[in-house]
Amino acid sequence: MTAVTYTVTDGIAHVELNRPEAANGIDMALATGLREAVEAARDDDAVRVVLLTGAGKRFCGGGDIAGFVDEEDPSYLQRLAEEAGAAVIALEDLAKPVVVAVQGAVAGGGLGLMLGGDLVVAQEGTKFVFAYPAIGLTPDCGVSYLLPRAIGQQRALAFALSGQPLSAQDAQAQGLVAEVVEDAGARAREIATALAKGAAGAFGDSRRLLRASWTRDRATSAADEAQTLSSRGQGEEARALFAQFLGR
């Protein structure tokens, strides 16, 4: 069975974690499959929006602990962390909007996969768990970088050190997810469809500029804003919307 599935319909690239029997635990096949799927979406001009989901009852339970224990190669854990981290970075670097649907549980590295997206829709009853210290490990998949930027340093530290899970409602209140609904998959698909029908290029560049601002100085951000605005203003997407706005 393929660890990550990839399909494109109506401008939406649906990337699905596909190890439901293992709570979509992150092993090398899933990490590599996710990176390759994101790169395929990046390079396909027909893709306007990416939809990230997890098959089965849980979005992602974090790393595949059984795989860690059974692996005899002492370099495996580092190689896996590097590959999974590369997949999240590829997701973050997309110039296309990313909608994520989560359900059941989001734990450990699953938090990083989720936070690589832009609009996260959580299903009622979903639990969010930092998880790493419970098994003597530390963050991977960009969690140490992305989590404090999503919810603030004090909340991130409290979440990381307390060992207490967050409910879907708590996650929304703290800014970890955008919406909590009864059917996250259906709602995320609805959002992705709306984005694909809209100014997806502008959405994508907007998310790129916002994400890049964390690692840039003010002048660099300003220069990229001006260049991107100018480039978009000359493009077909903006020109058509200009005419629509002006009634021409």
Side-chain angles (χ1 to χ4, degrees):
M1 183 169 64
T2 304
V4 176
T5 63
Y6 178 83
T7 57
V8 179
T9 306
D10 297 329
I12 301 170
H14 184 188
V15 178
E16 182 160 72
L17 312 180
N18 191 39
R19 301 187 68 220
E21 76 291 346
N24 295 315
I26 303 168
D27 63 359
M28 193 64 77
L30 187 142
T32 299
L34 178 58
R35 176 181 56 77
E36 291 176 346
V38 173
E39 289 171 351
R42 176 196 66 196
D43 296 337
D44 187 347
D45 290 340
V47 172
R48 297 170 62 77
V49 180
V50 173
L51 173 62
L52 176 63
T53 64
K57 296 180 179 180
R58 301 172 183 85
F59 172 72
C60 180
D64 185 346
I65 307 305
F68 300 168
V69 173
D70 294 340
E71 180 58 55
E72 296 180 359
D73 181 355
S75 71
Y76 175 77
L77 201 54
Q78 180 169 344
R79 290 189 292 107
L80 176 60
E82 289 172 348
E83 181 73 343
V88 175
I89 288 173
L91 197 60
E92 291 179 79
D93 286 348
L94 278 176
K96 299 176 182 183
V98 179
V99 184
V100 186
V102 299
Q103 77 284 349
V106 185
L111 294 167
L113 305 190
M114 178 188 79
L115 291 171
D118 304 319
L119 296 169
V120 181
V121 181
Q123 193 149 299
E124 289 277 4
T126 304
K127 297 295 184 183
F128 300 82
V129 189
F130 189 74
Y132 296 100
I135 52 171
L137 292 180
T138 50
D140 63 347
C141 294
V143 171
S144 63
Y145 182 89
L146 295 170
L147 185 63
R149 285 166 170 76
I151 65 176
Q153 180 166 292
Q154 286 299 305
R155 283 176 167 174
L157 286 167
F159 181 41
L161 302 179
S162 71
Q164 298 300 307
L166 294 177
S167 68
Q169 286 73 21
D170 289 339
Q172 183 181 28
Q174 293 194 20
L176 197 59
V177 305
E179 296 184 26
V180 177
V181 298
E182 290 186 6
D183 187 337
R187 175 58 179 150
R189 171 67 70 171
E190 179 183 352
I191 294 170
T193 298
L195 290 172
K197 291 178 179 178
F203 292 145
D205 271 333
S206 294
R207 69 95 69 175
R208 179 185 61 78
L209 286 165
L210 288 165
R211 286 181 173 275
S213 69
W214 290 106
T215 56
R216 292 174 165 179
D217 59 42
R218 182 68 180 84
T220 302
S221 287
D224 195 1
E225 280 184 342
Q227 190 280 325
T228 303
L229 183 72
S230 175
S231 177
R232 287 237 141 256
Q234 302 305 312
E236 292 182 6
E237 182 179 80
R239 290 292 177 173
L241 291 171
F242 288 167
Q244 181 180 318
F245 182 81
L246 295 171
R248 294 177 181 173

